[in-house]
Amino acid sequence: MDYKNDIANRIAKITGLEAQNVYNLIEIPPQTDMGDYAFPCFALAKVLRKAPPMIAAELVNSDELKADYLSEVKNVGPYVNFYIDRGELAYSVLSQILSSGDAYGADSLGDCKTAIIEFSSPNIAKPFHVGHAFTTILGNSLARIYEKLGYNVVRMNHLGDYGTQFGKLITAYRLWGDEKALEESPIDELLRIYVKFHEEEKNNPDLTTDARANFKRLEDGCEEEVALWKKFRDMSLVVFNKLYDRMGVTFDNYNGESFYSDKIPAVVDMLREKNLLEESEGAQVVMLDEFKAPPCIILKSDGTTIYASRDLAAAIYRYNEYKFDKNIYVVGIPQALHFKQVFSVLKKAGYEWADNCEHVGFGLVKFKDGKFSTRDGNIVLLEDLLNEAVEKTYEVIVENNKNRGNELTEEEMREIAEKVGLGAVVYTYVKSGRERDIFFSWEEMLDFEGDTAPYLIYTYARTRSILRKAKASGLAPFESGDEALKVLSSEEEYQLIRTLADFPESISKAANANEPFMISRQISTCARSFNRFYNNSSILNAETEELKRARLSLCECLCNTLKSGLNLLGIDVVERM
RNA sequence: GGGUCUAUAGCUCAGUUGGAUAGAGCAACAGCCUUCUAAGCUGUGGGUCGGAGGUUCGAGUCCCCCUAGGCUCGCCA
């Protein structure tokens, strides 16, 4: 039952205000002892020409505000506070969660609309470091969130697989390439020769000329160059895919820059036909004064294309192919202006769907002391970070396993460590607002206490353990709709139920703002509420059989919520740890 | 210099269209395992919300100015 809506209707009846307006005014009090909903009377003060506290006092006495599900209606200063009957709340919230299972929070808001999410998009032949992890983790989470809300999601990996750097790689590979090393560790070898190229290039301008010629031959489709390019691309993809598999990240396609390169001329023609192209300082540009943005370069003065033209071609292709309702780019904040320009050009060219394109930016990953730079070797590979986190998790598990009667086998411990370790890393990226820079520190990444994934997974596993024990002793939770759920009315139970009830809303909020942290924050609150309850009340040794079963139901609801929420963040749960 | 974002507890961060006593986690200190997993829980200390002004019943939140910092500003992506 929608309590808020019902309360709004009742207040509307008394005051004569629009129900929708009242609904928007109703808020959730900052403290739980102030009730479940509150109606502030400030807005009525002007209309009724009375002081808000007086209005509140009068409202409270109205018969219209007497409902079965309300245990109390109280005026506090200018507010009218509504208290939902705890048993009633427990019954309605738990019934809903129990019937939804792992799907708790799912919605059909998306209505089968199509949402394209471009994310990860690493450069071929370059190492995948902790900076790339941000777009990968964020995009993966957003994809899952939109799917949960009923969207048809298309995951796109816009690979950096084209451009003059491939001319350089071809030149470098022919001079210094080591076939064996390439087979064993493609990215390392490609990076080695790429770095060497840049060193040698300083003293040998011929290399630059050769690299340009090679890229030209690649663009012209010369067999040898294309074959080499393809080889580099395929080998890099194998490496990336291993990482994606490990993280549970999937893509619907890997159409990178190379895929769109032959679609650019049509875009240039289109812009020219619409008289949008101007010559400026030798380049072909689209002026964007009316969008308060600098000109967007479409063709360089040498007539070649640039990344803006590629992104234009990609957007148009995507619209024609998918007729998307949302086209989201999960790319770092430094590219904010670039996307503003691209979207503005589309708009200027008359594509109304340009309004459905959105740049979802995120902060930089930095070191506390000094910059993050590939050149200085000041870099942490994502794989190293994951391994480190898994290893540390494993040590903790081994230690705990000794104290818990060696229930786990070596293999199980390895498997748990993998999931929890990865979860710990993923969580650090989605625990706060995406636009903030992340200061990378091993210490924080490997801290498993407090607001962390291990804490959440631990809470889940601990609860699963209780459910297993209950089952073994023939004790079953109540099912959805069982009136006995109403016995849950203690302070801790009530607090937990309230936080569980807020979970679905956190998903739609997260989607609206493209901010997964709104979900991580919610489930973190759920876990904390549960642990408080857990430490205060015994579940399997509760006073009555009925209370035991009702509390087991509460456990099950917590599990459903945590599992669903963590899944939306891209984190797996484990049954024991 | 133009654009843009940020500034909240010692540290890392929340704070919804202006609303009730500005909240979490970490760190510090003091407690809690013969009881369902202590990766847990309880308590304590810690704040002129960068600074000044303005708007109003009311400002961490909105407007203006200032200070500090990040990112960015046509032929790299």
Side-chain angles (χ1 to χ4, degrees):
Chain A
M1 141 145 218
D2 189 346
Y3 302 119
K4 187 175 171 182
N5 198 34
D6 190 70
I7 292 170
N9 285 332
R10 286 165 188 270
I11 294 175
K13 239 181 222 174
I14 306 170
T15 59
L17 296 172
E18 290 273 335
Q20 189 57 46
N21 288 343
V22 177
Y23 185 88
N24 291 337
L25 283 172
I26 292 178
E27 49 193 66
I28 294 171
Q31 310 287 329
T32 48
D33 57 9
M34 296 171 176
D36 299 284
Y37 296 101
F39 177 69
C41 299
F42 304 104
L44 284 173
K46 278 180 186 164
V47 188
L48 300 177
R49 294 175 174 274
K50 280 184 200 166
M54 279 184 69
I55 300 170
E58 286 170 22
L59 276 177
V60 164
N61 292 322
S62 169
D63 284 341
E64 204 58 53
L65 293 187
K66 289 188 171 59
D68 293 342
Y69 64 84
L70 289 171
S71 61
E72 194 181 3
V73 181
K74 203 162 68 174
N75 61 313
V76 180
Y79 291 89
V80 181
N81 292 340
F82 297 87
Y83 296 75
I84 309 289
D85 180 80
R86 290 184 177 183
E88 191 67 40
L89 185 73
Y91 171 76
S92 88
V93 172
L94 264 57
S95 287
Q96 197 199 331
I97 303 177
L98 290 170
S99 62
S100 314
D102 287 350
Y104 180 47
D107 206 303
S108 53
L109 281 173
D111 195 24
C112 295
K113 288 178 183 160
T114 297
I116 292 182
I117 302 182
E118 173 189 309
F119 67 105
S120 201
S121 311
N123 285 326
I124 293 299
K126 296 221 178 122
F128 202 101
H129 58 69
V130 293
H132 295 116
F134 211 151
T135 164
T136 308
I137 290 167
L138 190 55
N140 180 49
S141 175
L142 289 174
R144 291 176 181 213
I145 290 168
Y146 279 105
E147 264 175 357
K148 191 91 173 178
L149 294 179
Y151 281 87
N152 171 32
V153 173
V154 182
R155 296 162 164 85
M156 295 209 155
N157 195 336
H158 192 80
L159 293 174
D161 61 359
Y162 221 54
T164 45
Q165 75 255 30
F166 285 92
K168 293 176 186 176
L169 273 176
I170 292 169
T171 299
Y173 184 70
R174 284 177 176 158
L175 287 171
W176 314 297
D178 179 337
E179 184 78 23
K180 225 181 212 169
L182 190 67
E183 295 288 340
E184 277 165 22
S185 183
I187 305 272
D188 290 338
E189 173 62 3
L190 289 171
L191 183 65
R192 181 186 72 81
I193 61 174
Y194 189 69
V195 168
K196 189 174 169 77
F197 179 92
H198 279 281
E199 280 166 9
E200 301 282 329
E201 191 185 22
K202 287 173 198 156
N203 308 317
N204 188 354
D206 291 348
L207 288 175
T208 316
T209 317
D210 191 59
R212 274 209 195 114
N214 279 336
F215 180 59
K216 183 79 172 59
R217 289 168 66 80
L218 176 60
E219 273 200 303
D220 292 344
C222 292
E223 228 172 88
E224 280 180 44
E225 282 73 17
V226 170
L228 266 181
W229 168 81
K230 200 165 179 314
K231 180 174 179 170
F232 296 156
R233 186 181 190 274
D234 290 348
M235 290 181 125
S236 299
L237 262 180
V238 168
V239 176
F240 292 149
N241 274 325
K242 238 170 94 182
L243 201 50
Y244 292 140
D245 280 349
R246 188 177 182 190
M247 299 179 74
V249 175
T250 59
F251 293 95
D252 294 295
N253 75 57
Y254 296 82
N255 294 343
E257 291 162 0
S258 64
F259 178 82
Y260 299 105
S261 69
D262 65 352
K263 296 167 181 61
I264 297 175
V267 174
V268 176
D269 290 347
M270 179 274 293
L271 291 172
R272 191 169 282 132
E273 272 167 32
K274 294 186 177 171
N275 272 322
L276 299 178
L277 277 189
E278 295 179 27
E279 180 163 334
S280 169
E281 297 172 32
Q284 294 291 315
V285 308
V286 175
M287 301 304 284
L288 297 171
D289 295 332
E290 66 270 44
F291 295 95
K292 289 182 179 156
C296 181
I297 296 185
I298 305 297
L299 291 176
K300 298 189 273 191
S301 41
D302 64 1
T304 57
T305 62
I306 189 170
Y307 65 111
S309 30
R310 287 197 261 280
D311 270 339
L312 285 169
I316 292 169
Y317 172 84
R318 286 176 195 178
Y319 187 76
N320 291 337
E321 194 75 7
Y322 298 99
K323 298 284 183 289
F324 56 73
D325 299 282
K326 266 176 181 289
N327 183 25
I328 291 172
Y329 296 83
V330 185
V331 182
I333 285 179
Q335 297 207 42
L337 181 58
H338 162 71
F339 282 109
K340 184 181 178 178
Q341 289 175 306
V342 169
F343 300 159
S344 297
V345 170
L346 290 170
K347 188 82 178 163
K348 192 164 178 171
Y351 297 112
E352 286 305 318
W353 49 260
D355 291 333
N356 301 331
C357 296
E358 192 173 356
H359 172 219
V360 172
F362 54 87
L364 269 55
V365 179
K366 299 176 185 171
F367 281 110
K368 273 219 164 61
D369 44 354
K371 292 259 175 182
F372 200 84
S373 159
T374 317
R375 278 182 215 152
D376 308 336
N378 209 355
I379 186 176
V380 177
L381 295 181
L382 178 58
E383 196 176 0
D384 291 342
L385 172 59
L386 296 181
N387 289 341
E388 196 77 27
V390 169
E391 192 48 42
K392 196 186 162 191
T393 306
Y394 174 75
E395 286 167 18
V396 176
I397 293 172
V398 168
E399 194 55 37
N400 286 340
N401 192 42
K402 279 184 205 160
N403 303 330
R404 290 174 193 161
N406 293 308
E407 289 180 340
L408 302 169
T409 65
E410 174 69 16
E411 196 189 343
E412 284 170 328
M413 288 194 287
R414 288 285 175 195
E415 201 177 307
I416 294 164
E418 173 75 11
K419 287 185 176 171
V420 176
L422 257 58
V425 172
V426 169
Y427 195 78
T428 59
Y429 285 91
V430 292
K431 72 183 286 189
S432 47
R434 60 181 155 82
E435 296 196 342
R436 283 198 179 256
D437 291 344
I438 290 180
F439 286 93
F440 183 88
S441 101
W442 284 105
E443 222 170 274
E444 278 172 43
M445 280 282 180
L446 301 180
D447 181 9
F448 298 157
E449 284 167 23
D451 188 14
T452 63
Y455 170 76
L456 298 175
I457 301 173
Y458 173 77
T459 305
Y460 177 86
R462 160 196 257 184
T463 312
R464 295 299 295 172
S465 165
I466 296 171
L467 288 166
R468 274 195 305 273
K469 286 194 171 149
K471 195 175 182 184
S473 64
L475 206 57
F478 288 123
E479 291 186 6
S480 175
D482 198 315
E483 297 275 334
L485 291 169
K486 292 184 178 172
V487 295
L488 297 171
S489 59
S490 76
E491 185 60 26
E492 285 81 17
E493 288 158 353
Y494 166 69
Q495 298 289 355
L496 172 57
I497 289 165
R498 274 191 59 166
T499 61
L500 293 176
D502 288 338
F503 175 67
E505 196 181 348
S506 77
I507 302 176
S508 49
K509 280 183 177 173
N512 274 333
N514 291 309
E515 283 284 22
F517 92 91
M518 291 180 172
I519 292 169
S520 63
R521 204 155 260 284
Q522 187 62 40
I523 56 175
S524 168
T525 306
C526 291
R528 219 173 310 123
S529 299
F530 177 81
N531 283 321
R532 238 170 243 154
F533 159 70
Y534 174 91
N535 273 272
N536 257 297
S537 327
S538 181
I539 296 158
L540 296 176
N541 295 313
E543 296 79 35
T544 66
E545 192 78 356
E546 186 182 49
L547 194 54
K548 285 182 195 173
R549 295 184 60 192
R551 284 181 175 169
L552 281 173
S553 299
L554 191 52
C555 286
E556 203 178 319
C557 289
L558 185 267
C559 286
N560 289 347
T561 307
L562 284 183
K563 189 173 182 181
S564 175
L566 284 168
N567 183 265
L568 291 174
L569 303 175
I571 299 172
D572 279 338
V573 293
V574 300
E575 298 300 310
R576 310 160 192 267
M577 70 186 276

